[in-house]
Amino acid sequence: SAVISQKPSRDICQRGTSLTIQCQVDSQVTMMFWYRQQPGQSLTLIATANQGSEATYESGFVIDKFPISRPNLTFSTLTVSNMSPEDSSIYLCSAWDRGETQYFGPGTRLLVL
Amino acid sequence: KQEVTQIPAALSVPEGENLVLNCSFTDSAIYNLQWFRQDPGKGLTSLLLIQSSQREQTSGRLNASLDKSSGRSTLYIAASQPGDSATYLCAVRGSSGDKLTFGTGTRLAVRP
């Protein structure tokens, strides 16, 4: 199994600013993902974080708004840029090795005022 | 595009009842299916993983079944307890084996 930690666990930010969320996995994993969960909703995939190359974004999400880094097989960051109140959500990091269970971090609760 | 639906959206039962949560998906070409539990304000805890070649998985009081041809999975919870109160999410991984598509969730409340 993989244990995933995220920092910060929560934050309150002003509109127009940016926040970087860090995700650390306790073992090397093939794939890492970033999800968003808006209030009362299910999870939506933002992007797949690729080690050593640009992330793969889902429809509706762009690199300028959600830049992602993955410098190695255990760490990734997601930045939420130029925030607006509509970005208030829980952001979840996830990790998966092919064929196995996919694991999730505890999430980062973001409130944008 | 895969779509995953869960019924019911919410469920309230007295302690001790056996219950069934349903998940349906539109594309039967899947790699695997996973059931998760999410407590309020928390991340996701994996409950059961069913590979596409399997028909069911069991863990303690939980049993999940998979019928790929009909695009359905059920999560059976035996002898429910107040600690089972949470939102239960079904997620399907496509046959290309890359990403999970999540269902809408079932919010379960077990009354003491």
Side-chain angles (χ1 to χ4, degrees):
Chain A
S1 66
V3 177
I4 303 174
S5 59
Q6 287 183 232
K7 288 194 296 187
S9 59
R10 59 178 62 224
D11 208 340
I12 301 173
C13 300
Q14 298 297 317
R15 70 170 67 210
T17 62
S18 297
L19 176 71
T20 296
I21 303 168
Q22 298 180 5
C23 175
Q24 179 74 53
V25 188
D26 70 342
S27 58
Q28 293 185 346
V29 291
T30 306
M31 301 184 79
M32 293 181 72
F33 306 91
W34 286 98
Y35 288 81
R36 181 174 74 181
Q37 187 176 29
Q38 295 180 301
Q41 304 293 315
S42 190
L43 278 73
T44 300
L45 180 64
I46 297 172
T48 301
N50 299 311
Q51 192 257 331
S53 64
E54 193 171 285
T56 304
Y57 290 84
E58 297 299 305
S59 175
F61 298 96
V62 295
I63 187 172
D64 289 346
K65 177 67 176 176
F66 298 101
I68 289 170
S69 77
R70 189 179 174 192
N72 56 51
L73 292 175
T74 64
F75 185 79
S76 178
T77 67
L78 167 74
T79 299
V80 186
S81 302
N82 188 25
M83 288 184 284
S84 67
E86 292 71 33
D87 294 320
S88 298
S89 292
I90 300 174
Y91 292 86
L92 296 122
C93 174
S94 181
W96 182 58
D97 264 340
R98 291 189 174 273
E100 301 299 324
T101 298
Q102 185 160 334
Y103 296 95
F104 284 79
T108 295
R109 304 190 80 175
L110 172 62
L111 176 62
V112 183
L113 301 178
Chain B
K1 178 188 170 188
Q2 179 75 270
E3 292 184 3
V4 183
T5 304
Q6 292 184 244
I7 295 173
L11 183 62
S12 178
V13 300
E15 182 176 4
E17 272 204 9
N18 302 325
L19 53 99
V20 175
L21 307 182
N22 297 291
C23 171
S24 61
F25 45 95
T26 55
D27 185 350
S28 62
I30 66 169
Y31 186 90
N32 61 31
L33 182 146
Q34 205 165 340
W35 282 93
F36 294 90
R37 166 189 175 136
Q38 186 176 32
D39 293 286
K42 306 290 187 183
L44 275 66
T45 301
S46 179
L47 298 174
L48 289 164
L49 170 69
I50 310 178
Q51 302 291 357
S52 63
S53 59
Q54 298 174 322
R55 292 196 61 85
E56 67 177 334
Q57 284 287 330
T58 298
S59 176
R61 294 182 294 108
L62 305 180
N63 174 275
S65 67
L66 173 64
D67 184 344
K68 248 187 2 171
S69 60
S70 67
R72 295 178 186 273
S73 177
T74 61
L75 178 67
Y76 176 83
I77 302 177
S80 58
Q81 303 171 357
D84 295 330
S85 299
T87 296
Y88 289 81
L89 293 161
C90 163
V92 174
R93 189 180 308 280
S95 57
S96 60
D98 53 356
K99 57 192 179 187
L100 287 177
T101 301
F102 277 84
T104 46
T106 294
R107 189 166 62 252
L108 172 65
V110 181
R111 307 186 302 272

